[in-house]
Amino acid sequence: MSKYIIRRLIFLTITLIGVLTITFFLSRVLPGDPARLAAGTRAGPEQVEALRRSLGLDRPLVEQYVRYITSVIRGDLGMSIRTRRPVRVDLIEYFPATVELTVFATFLCVLLGIPLGILSAIRQETVVDHILRVVAVAAVSMPSFWLGLLLQLVFFRWLGILPATGRIGLGFRPTHITGMYVLDSIITQNWVALGSSLKHLVLPATALAAGSIAQISRMMRSSLLDVLSHDYVRTARAKGLRESTVVLKHALRNALLPTLTVIGLQIGVLLSGAVPVEVVFSWPGIGLYAVQSIVFVDFMAILGVTLLMTIVYSGMNLIVDVLYGVLDPRIQY
């Protein structure tokens, strides 16, 4: 196991270098002059040129790339042109909000996707199964930003029961510990802030998780149907075991293996899919930070976000692979 993890970490390093290389050169073809944008409309040509030299943008592209990779190895992600702060500081500030949103959305995916998939499998070709399949197709086909706007219209505009934007109500922000308001509220026992933060999470997390819930439920259904056709399941039924015992004790564990892969991949999808959701709900996370950085042609911030997302996505794949061996001892690394 340890040798396998070491090999994967080596491949992860190679992947990171490749992603950074591609992103670095692609970011340089974006339209706009970052030095001009950072200096402001009233800055003269001399000021813009001085700022360009201070940012290193006047140097050859290959030299800029080598300097950036060297800085990343040292742990320096550069300075954001837009916020005038180190990118590392910005990521530490904005990332907890995205993690909180993604964790809550993942919780909804597991809480709803797996039971719905099981229900659809044990009610195969019934009305319930057909309804769930239609809903799943609709959820996968629906863009998250459009669903977010629809949820805002219904639950904020028409019903007025849930907030439309932001992370928490004014004046309710808990003491900063982790940057995740729900966790910070629990740690500090600020139950008013906890209630407000949970209310603000419902709509964006639902919009973000809808497509993944459908994906997980469809995989759970097909995987469980495949397992239920195996000989050992028929033997368990022939022994007179209750159907719930056959499904939940004998079939579910093996059926969870491919579903676990989908869940792990969906976490990466949720992180990347958080960008339009955060924009729609004005959620101050990495997605909103990335969009603002792209608009401002903030090279260092764009590269920092890309690096962080690559690490998280690859790390989740590694965790899923390790969990495979835990759930199925037959798997050897």
Side-chain angles (χ1 to χ4, degrees), residues 19-299:
V19 169
L20 281 180
T21 301
I22 295 173
T23 308
F24 180 88
F25 288 103
L26 286 179
S27 65
R28 291 314 194 260
V29 302
L30 291 175
D33 185 355
R36 164 59 66 183
L37 292 173
T41 56
R42 297 184 179 182
E46 297 82 4
Q47 294 172 301
V48 174
E49 188 60 30
L51 182 59
R52 183 177 288 107
R53 287 196 299 270
S54 67
L55 295 173
L57 298 176
D58 62 324
R59 299 178 181 273
L61 194 58
V62 175
E63 183 179 345
Q64 293 183 42
Y65 169 74
V66 173
R67 292 180 63 186
Y68 176 72
I69 294 296
T70 305
S71 299
V72 170
I73 294 174
R74 296 197 308 265
D76 180 12
L77 299 181
M79 188 73 65
S80 170
I81 299 175
R82 183 176 63 87
T83 64
R84 306 297 178 90
R85 298 189 305 176
V87 173
R88 182 177 56 200
V89 174
D90 286 341
L91 296 180
I92 292 174
E93 177 181 338
Y94 287 100
F95 190 53
T98 300
V99 171
E100 185 174 53
L101 178 60
T102 303
V103 168
F104 199 82
T106 304
F107 173 75
L108 291 179
C109 291
V110 175
L111 182 66
L112 298 177
I114 293 178
L116 290 177
I118 295 173
L119 178 62
S120 184
I122 62 179
R123 294 287 187 269
Q124 183 185 13
E125 301 302 333
T126 64
V127 175
V128 174
D129 182 31
H130 292 312
I131 293 175
L132 291 176
R133 291 165 67 181
V134 170
V135 172
V137 171
V140 171
S141 306
M142 191 179 303
S144 58
F145 70 89
W146 187 86
L147 178 59
L149 293 172
L150 184 62
L151 292 174
Q152 287 177 333
L153 178 64
V154 174
F155 292 96
F156 174 73
R157 177 65 177 175
W158 292 350
L159 301 179
I161 58 177
L162 290 173
T165 58
R167 291 184 66 191
I168 199 169
L170 295 177
F172 295 124
R173 184 172 180 173
T175 302
H176 181 87
I177 300 176
T178 65
M180 292 180 279
Y181 289 170
V182 171
L183 185 57
D184 289 347
S185 300
I186 295 175
I187 294 174
T188 59
Q189 298 184 3
N190 189 340
W191 310 124
V192 177
L194 177 62
S196 179
S197 58
L198 286 175
K199 286 179 64 177
H200 282 77
L201 266 170
V202 172
L203 293 186
T206 302
L208 181 60
S212 295
I213 292 173
Q215 295 277 11
I216 293 171
S217 66
R218 296 298 299 156
M219 175 56 69
M220 187 73 248
R221 177 185 182 275
S222 60
S223 179
L224 186 57
L225 286 175
D226 178 64
V227 172
L228 289 174
S229 64
H230 290 177
D231 293 338
Y232 72 90
V233 175
R234 287 195 291 267
T235 301
R237 285 171 171 162
K239 289 181 178 180
L241 296 178
R242 291 183 300 178
E243 186 65 18
S244 59
T245 302
V246 172
V247 173
L248 299 178
K249 185 176 180 180
H250 293 273
L252 183 59
R253 182 169 181 174
N254 289 329
L256 279 174
L257 288 175
T259 307
L260 178 63
T261 302
V262 174
I263 293 174
L265 295 176
Q266 287 303 311
I267 294 177
V269 172
L270 292 175
L271 280 171
S272 59
V275 175
V277 173
E278 289 184 3
V279 172
V280 169
F281 289 93
S282 298
W283 190 267
I286 286 293
L288 187 60
Y289 175 75
V291 171
Q292 294 171 345
S293 299
I294 292 172
V295 172
F296 210 84
V297 200
D298 191 346
F299 293 147

